[in-house]
Every structure is written in C-alpha cells, then in structure tokens.
Amino acid sequence: MVLPVFNEEIVLARTYEELRATLEGLDADWRLLFVNDGSRDGTVGVLEQLYQNDERVGYLLLSRNFGHQAALSAGLDHADTDIVVSMDADLQHPPALLQSMLAAWRAGYDVVHARKLATVDLPKARSIATSLAYKAISRVAQVEIIEQASDYRLIDRQVLDALRTLPELGRLYRGLTPWVGFRQCIVPYVAAQRAGGTSQYGLKQLGGLFARALFDFSDVPLHVGLVLGGFAMVFSVLYLSFIMLWMLLGESRPPGWASSVSVTLVLNSVILAFLGIIGVYVARLYNEVRRRPTYLLSRVRTHEPKT
Ligand code: UDP
Ligand code: MG
C-alpha cells in the first residue's frame, strides 16, 4: 500500500493500527510504504517509529513538499508488489473496503477504483464545488475521469508497469489510470471524516487538480478558440460585404463609431482570451520539456534489500 502523508502526525499511528488490523484479516502478504511529502510536523518521527517496530512498514522522504500526486508517483515508483493500493493517510478511505477491492482483483479486474458516494460532514459549498468541477471535466475530458474517484485505488502489477511507461511528469492519476485501460471496475464507499488534523487541500490545490484534469486530458479549450475565431471570421466577411454594398449604392457612409469600437473590443478580447489559453498549454509544454523530476528523495527507509 502506498500512502502519501503531509502533516499527519496526529492520525498516522491510528491509520497504521487500523490498516494492520484489516490487512491481517486478509489472505495476502502486505507492506506499507508511506511517502512523507515534506511534512512540517512530527510525521517523520512517527514514521521512523513505525518502521522500527514493523518489518512491513517502510517510508520515503521527499526533500520538500511536492504535492499529493508527486508523492503518489514516488510511492508507485518504489512499489514492487503484485498489487498496489494507493490510499490517503487520514483514514478518510475506509480500510474495510480493501476486502472487496481484493475480491474484485481476484475476480479478474486489474484496476479497482473506489468511488466516493459522499463524505461525512463535508462543507456543503465544497461538495457542490467538487461535483460541479467533475461535471465540467467529464464534459470535455477525452478519458473518463471517474466522478469522485479520489485516489483510493487498487492496481495490478501490469497496470503499474503501464503507468510507469507514461512519459509525462505532471501526473493526475485519476485521469491516467482510466487512460491505460485494462479491466477496470468501481467499488463505492462513503468517506469518513478525517480521523484528525486538517485537510491539506485548499482552494489552490483543488484549482490545480481541476486545471490538470481540464488541460491535460482535453484539447477542447484550444478547439473552442478555433470555433469562435471561425464564427468571427464569417461574421466579419458578411459585415464587410454589407458595408461595401452600402458604399457602392452611394449611400452616405454610416457614422460607424459604435460598430468599429464594438468589433475592436469583442475581437481583441476573444484574441486575448485564447492567447491566454495557448499560454496555459505552452507553460505545460515548457514544464514537461524541461523534464525536472516530479519529486526528489532525501531518504529511503525500507526493509527490502533494495528497491
Ligand atoms: N497530501 C500530500 N501532499 C500534500 C497534500 C496532501 O501528500 O501536499 C496527502 C495527505 O497527507 C493525505 C492525502 O494526500 O494523505 C489527501 O490529502 P487531504 O486529506 O488533505 O485531502 P482531502 O481528503 O481533504 O481531499
Ligand atoms: Mg483527506
């Protein structure tokens, strides 16, 4: 299991206890790999203690906070088991679900997504905002981004290898995992409240996720520019012929101030907006082309000889 952790010192020990209790009840060998995403609290101390006390626990330290998806990448890169389950470390993802996820894998599925039906006590505004964001994304995305999929997911070794072959550095696993294909299924659950601590996903992080889903999995925004520009061109040609006809008929030229101003304003704002959109893609291209690593490790603590 891969669990990204960021400032979770309060819940970590409990997460471990509950996971251990659940996993020991399953008919499978297991290991936990925590990825500390540059926590600023006592998380590392707790991790070290868990590592000392249990052969099956390991952890990676990232050199700073790289974000949830980057931490997930680090964990997946270091996993070498037949199945990998990614999970949040705050117990919002119920360990009890592991049993059905494993059963689904045994029944032949390669990817088992856990789909959140609801979150206990999530602020109303946030649940509305997320569901709107998912609706918008599923409209334009070229892969199916499973609504409310979160990052509680079981993947088979084959899928893990497939994900590793993907060249992109900026990764959104809830888009990439459906993209790779194989046999996928969904198990629903109700997310618990955080077992302690606070959510690290502010508006900024959520906005980032939304932008990633929108721009990484869709070129619809670019096409919108083309369509609008096309319409504007047709309209301009019609309008110009009208003006020329008007002048050829010897009519006095219309005063025209309002129309020139409005044409200038509308077209320029459309052009600026789509320059902005192109800018977004260029920035993303730049980030990918530069090939800076997604994360940097400062320590690897695992009981295996070497992974
Ligand atoms: N997380 C992380 N890096 C970050 C933010 C969050 O590794 O920069 C981890 C966090 O410790 C947790 C998971 O990602 O295990 C989900 O984060 P959180 O619970 O804060 O998000 P929410 O459940 O509120 O969406
Ligand atoms: Mg959470």
Side-chain angles (χ1 to χ4, degrees):
M1 302 203 51
V2 168
L3 300 101
V5 282
F6 179 55
N7 297 347
E8 307 278 15
E9 83 182 307
I10 305 170
V11 294
L12 217 48
R14 238 181 94 189
T15 306
Y16 163 74
E17 289 302 336
E18 294 208 9
L19 268 178
R20 194 185 58 178
T22 313
L23 289 167
E24 275 173 355
L26 297 179
D27 171 29
D29 288 333
W30 54 272
R31 266 181 260 155
L32 300 183
L33 180 62
F34 292 97
V35 184
N36 176 48
D37 189 16
S39 296
R40 287 180 273 270
D41 61 359
T43 298
V44 182
V46 182
L47 286 177
E48 180 60 28
Q49 212 159 21
L50 294 176
Y51 168 81
Q52 304 268 352
N53 293 339
D54 191 335
E55 286 269 290
R56 299 162 293 191
V57 176
Y59 69 92
L60 310 174
L61 293 192
L62 304 192
S63 61
R64 63 171 170 84
N65 180 252
F66 282 91
H68 182 198
Q69 299 294 305
L72 209 53
S73 297
L76 294 180
D77 286 349
H78 284 76
D80 66 344
T81 43
D82 297 329
I83 316 174
V84 182
V85 180
S86 55
M87 186 186 201
D88 284 0
D90 57 1
L91 285 179
Q92 282 195 294
H93 294 162
L97 207 64
L98 285 169
Q99 177 129 40
S100 15
M101 292 169 91
L102 194 62
W105 178 78
R106 289 197 168 126
Y109 287 102
D110 302 306
V111 178
V112 187
H113 300 274
R115 177 175 170 185
K116 190 162 58 187
L117 293 178
T119 306
V120 177
D121 280 344
L122 188 74
K124 197 102 196 132
R126 185 158 161 188
S127 73
I128 292 175
T130 21
S131 98
L132 281 182
Y134 270 111
K135 291 249 150 55
I137 288 166
S138 64
R139 276 272 157 116
V140 298
Q142 280 134 356
V143 302
E144 189 194 357
I145 294 190
I146 294 152
E147 214 168 305
Q148 310 287 359
S150 73
D151 278 301
Y152 192 13
R153 191 181 302 114
L154 177 151
I155 59 176
D156 181 79
R157 182 57 195 237
Q158 251 187 313
V159 178
L160 179 63
D161 290 339
L163 282 171
R164 282 185 184 152
T165 63
L166 299 182
E168 54 252 79
L169 296 170
R171 284 164 170 242
L172 181 67
Y173 282 100
R174 56 195 85 162
L176 292 175
T177 321
W179 185 88
V180 295
F182 298 91
R183 276 160 302 169
Q184 314 215 351
C185 71
I186 301 177
V187 178
Y189 73 100
V190 173
Q193 249 179 312
R194 258 183 166 272
T198 48
S199 171
Q200 310 295 340
Y201 263 100
L203 216 55
K204 203 174 133 197
Q205 281 82 2
L206 288 176
L209 279 187
F210 178 70
R212 207 158 256 309
L214 182 64
F215 294 113
D216 285 9
F217 290 97
S218 164
D219 39 28
V220 169
L222 282 171
H223 293 157
V224 171
L226 196 60
V227 170
L228 271 192
F231 275 125
M233 255 163 67
V234 171
F235 175 75
S236 315
V237 169
L238 290 178
Y239 188 54
L240 276 179
S241 349
F242 165 76
I243 291 173
M244 289 212 290
L245 202 69
W246 190 265
M247 284 167 67
L248 285 177
L249 290 177
E251 301 286 340
S252 69
R253 250 171 291 167
W257 183 84
S259 51
S260 351
V261 168
S262 49
V263 166
T264 312
L265 280 181
V266 170
L267 285 188
N268 279 324
S269 50
V270 168
I271 289 170
L272 279 180
F274 287 101
L275 265 182
I277 288 181
I278 292 175
V280 170
Y281 283 95
V282 169
R284 277 162 193 278
L285 285 175
Y286 177 51
N287 267 327
E288 288 294 325
V289 167
R290 196 168 46 190
R291 302 217 71 73
R292 270 190 199 150
T294 321
Y295 58 86
L296 291 171
L297 293 173
S298 61
R299 192 191 299 166
V300 177
R301 294 281 266 172
T302 49
H303 291 280
E304 292 87 54
K306 203 185 126 45
T307 41

